[in-house]
Structures are given as structure tokens and as C-alpha cells.
Amino acid sequence: MPHVDIKCFPRELNDEQKAALAEDIAGVIIRHLNSKESSISVALNQIAPDDWKTQVWDTDIAPQMAQLIKKPGYDM
């Protein structure tokens, strides 16, 4: 039951673009984890740049740095 939670700075994406993003992400999960499409969920959470450190870096990135399979190329 893979769940992908994408956090990014705000973007102007319409529903069609969001659906295409979710489809592409699901395709990668299917290919690499051999998951069924019906078991995959994808969330898109847009975080204001001023809130990134407290809402993402401090809670999701820094505490889990050792477990990240792709580490960020920046530091805070």
C-alpha cells in the first residue's frame, strides 16, 4: 500500500497536470515496487517557502536523514 506524500513550494497546477503527475509517480512505484495501481495513493501538499523549515525540514527531512534514499542537496 504505497503512499507518496509530495511536499513542494506552491505551483500553479490544474487538475489535468495534477492527474498526470500522480499517474507518472504511480508508474514509477508500479515499476520499482511491483505494486498494483489500486494500492497507490499520492498526495500533493504545497508548502509556503517561509514554512518549509518548520513544516518539512525540521519534521520530515532532518530527523530521517539516515533513512532517505535521496538526500537533499541543501542544508538548513
Side-chain angles (χ1 to χ4, degrees), residues 3 6 15 36 46 55 68:
H3 173 71
I6 301 168
D15 289 343
K36 294 180 182 176
Q46 299 189 38
Q55 290 186 18
L68 295 178

Side-chain angles (χ1 to χ4, degrees), residues 26-68:
V28 169
I29 298 296
I30 290 166
R31 186 170 60 251
H32 290 279
L33 299 180
N34 198 28
S35 297
K36 294 180 182 176
E37 183 178 7
S38 61
S39 70
I40 300 167
S41 55
V42 179
L44 179 62
N45 295 293
Q46 299 189 38
I47 311 294
D50 290 344
D51 296 328
W52 189 262
K53 184 178 183 321
T54 57
Q55 290 186 18
V56 180
W57 181 267
D58 291 345
T59 59
D60 295 336
I61 298 174
Q64 299 179 53
M65 193 65 75
Q67 288 79 33
L68 295 178

